[in-house]
Amino acid sequence: SSNNHNKEHLYKILVIGDLGVGKTSIIKRYVHHNYSPNYRATIGVDFALKVLNRDQETVRLQLWDIAGQERFGNMTRVYYREAMGAFIVFDVTRPASFEAVTKWKEDLDSKLTLANGKNVAVVLLANKCDQGREVLTNNGIKMEQFCQENGFVGWYETSAKVRKKGHAHKYKARLVFKRLV
Ligand code: GDP
Ligand code: MG
């Protein structure tokens, strides 16, 4: 760069989880500040770029939005390559999407390791919290414990749809995404 004081970083971050949990919607909310209820399934992989300007540096988050059915194919190994962090998303109204979380984590950890031999940092997102908390309350899951036992660095309740005042503390996209960089 022409400016010696301005450092640039590019980070690849994966957003994975079952079909329909809201991966694309979370990214749209974060990058484009909007939400659309029209369902349009991701095919293969979509990309979005979020630029964060900090004091002396520019951070580019390259968000890889991977179609939910891909875990059943062999392409994830290619998609995961060189990622430095990931979000695994589930839908709080669909228990099966929560059960799939550990399968996504296993798929990721088995196919991607950092140069230092460690697994990448993964944050768990409990999405559609505007719809209730069924999965979080009905089966006695302690999320902190679940995260510890399954190697997540943390979890957040999110809603790509609703940004009510009462929800504000639950959906801090900036904080959530920054957690990985
Ligand atoms: P993806 O397959 O994981 O990318 O899921 P999408 O982002 O395409 O979302 C699937 C459906 O769920 C769409 O109809 C979205 O409008 C809806 N959706 C996504 N996020 C939320 C949310 O936070 N709350 C509600 N109520 N609906 C959501
Ligand atoms: Mg999608």
Side-chain angles (χ1 to χ4, degrees):
S1 114
S2 58
N3 182 348
N4 290 331
H5 301 292
N6 198 5
K7 285 196 195 130
E8 297 219 357
H9 306 277
L10 177 67
Y11 296 123
K12 173 177 173 179
I13 296 187
L14 306 167
V15 182
I16 56 182
D18 272 6
L19 189 66
V21 296
K23 301 178 296 296
T24 303
S25 301
I26 287 171
I27 291 172
K28 269 195 202 155
R29 167 65 77 192
Y30 181 54
V31 176
H32 307 294
H33 311 287
N34 63 26
Y35 171 83
S36 153
N38 299 321
Y39 188 80
R40 200 138 131 265
T42 306
I43 297 172
V45 62
D46 281 341
F47 303 95
L49 191 69
K50 176 73 176 182
V51 181
L52 303 173
N53 288 303
R54 293 169 170 179
D55 298 341
Q56 300 277 304
E57 60 180 16
T58 302
V59 175
R60 289 174 208 280
L61 299 182
Q62 190 184 60
L63 303 166
W64 286 53
D65 174 6
I66 296 171
Q69 67 273 28
E70 294 295 335
R71 180 166 51 83
F72 306 107
N74 244 331
M75 285 306 289
T76 52
R77 187 183 300 278
V78 178
Y79 294 148
Y80 295 165
R81 197 172 287 158
E82 291 179 358
M84 60 75 58
F87 291 93
I88 296 181
V89 186
F90 69 96
D91 174 346
V92 291
T93 70
R94 274 168 50 211
S97 75
F98 180 69
E99 282 153 30
V101 157
T102 45
K103 299 191 181 104
W104 279 102
K105 184 74 165 55
E106 280 163 22
D107 189 60
L108 182 65
D109 288 345
S110 68
K111 292 173 181 168
L112 178 69
T113 33
L114 297 169
N116 63 12
K118 290 186 176 171
N119 292 326
V120 295
V122 185
V123 172
L124 186 59
L125 299 184
N127 192 43
K128 308 197 188 182
C129 71
D130 59 285
Q131 302 270 70
R133 317 180 75 240
E134 188 189 316
V135 171
L136 299 174
T137 51
N138 278 9
N139 38 12
I141 299 162
K142 294 261 182 298
M143 290 302 286
E144 281 79 13
Q145 191 183 339
F146 180 84
C147 286
Q148 277 184 1
E149 288 172 356
N150 292 281
F152 290 93
V153 302
W155 74 286
Y156 296 91
E157 286 183 57
T158 61
S159 169
K161 183 180 183 182
V162 176
R163 301 195 75 197
K164 280 193 293 195
K165 263 197 184 132
H167 270 141
H169 66 289
K170 293 177 181 168
Y171 194 77
K172 290 183 175 157
R174 271 181 82 87
L175 289 178
V176 169
F177 281 85
K178 276 182 173 176
R179 178 117 191 200
L180 291 182
V181 298

